[in-house]
Amino acid sequence: MSDAVKPLIVVAGATSKQGRSVVTSLLESGRFRVRALTRSADSAVARSLARMGAQIATVPLEPGHQREFVQAFGSADGAFLMTPPVAPPSTAEFTLGCQLADAAVEAGVGHLVFSTLENVQERSSGTKYAPHFTDKALIAEHMRTLPIAHTFLMLSFFYTNALEYYAPRIEGDTVLMPFYLPEDFRAPFVDPLTATGPAVLEVFSDPGAYAGASLPVVGEVISPGEMVGVFSRVTGLKAEYRNACSREGLLTYFPELGENPLLVDEILGMAEYAVEFGYFGDDRDTEWSRRIDPHALSWEQFLRRTDWRGEQVSFGG
């Protein structure tokens, strides 16, 4: 297929973990052209995407750039949209998501795929505070009112969070691994760097089959205690679980979070929500992504692929 007739997919947040995965999968399939939206065309990740064959469009992923969004979506057949979470009390994420969707409609995009999450406010009857979940759900609700085909992906907890934002402490010969979930609570986890792209590729390969669908993306259902055990077995290092799912525990291991009490409330509210109500709604098909992508990484496979041994890792784009 010549490039001229390949469908064009715009990827918002192209240098994020999810965005990089989507750009890579679409281009490696050989069936799509990709326009990658990024704040800086000069970043190492943006240059890497350009070498892969992506068109680079410089657009900040923040509210107030509506005309630039419309221009960036011009002539696109589809778009993958994601919104980076922002710390409360900011509500910019909801505003950004709605502006992106509105711009796609104005530009005549045919199909949107949006990375969303469950509505914690609704599912918990207002008892749990997790706006970075609920704001994404409200953006999805807005998209349902628009005259555009849409599909929603719902990613699980990220493996990468344990490396990037909640990294272990090394004390002597022991790796202390703090988790915001209870030791024995089994939850869905996924590697966004490798799992997002195959899911988006599947949707854009048969968009009519997935119109209106909400599709979980899961690598493995596993508990923090099991994750610590697998880490120890894979690395040969002594490792122990540490409780960061209480306010005291979270601030013991991550005292810098105390600078924003609302962010602490959000992290704890997210964890409490998952434990009490389940990460996904009961009607979600949590096997879908592993059916269409049987090579999705388990936690053990993720550890072997990254060769991670407990150090803090940055995945910044």
Side-chain angles (χ1 to χ4, degrees), residues 18 113-118 123 151-158 188-190 195-196 198-200 202-203 210 212-221 279-293 296:
Q18 295 182 61
V113 176
F114 175 57
S115 179
T116 189
L117 289 168
E118 299 284 9
R123 293 197 71 218
T151 303
F152 302 122
L153 298 182
M154 311 178 85
L155 271 71
S156 306
F157 286 124
F158 290 0
F189 283 83
V190 74
T196 315
V200 174
E202 169 70 15
V203 172
Y210 295 108
S214 296
L215 305 166
V217 182
V218 181
E220 181 176 16
V221 176
Y279 186 91
F280 293 117
D282 294 338
D283 60 339
R284 306 299 186 200
D285 181 0
T286 56
E287 297 298 322
W288 172 79
S289 64
R290 287 176 287 189
R291 286 197 303 271
I292 63 100
D293 180 23

Side-chain angles (χ1 to χ4, degrees), residues 47-71:
R47 292 197 303 269
S48 175
L49 298 179
R51 287 193 296 271
M52 292 174 57
Q55 306 171 19
I56 305 297
T58 305
V59 184
L61 196 60
E62 57 189 39
H65 295 272
Q66 190 80 4
R67 301 318 307 167
E68 294 165 87
F69 293 153
V70 173
Q71 184 177 5

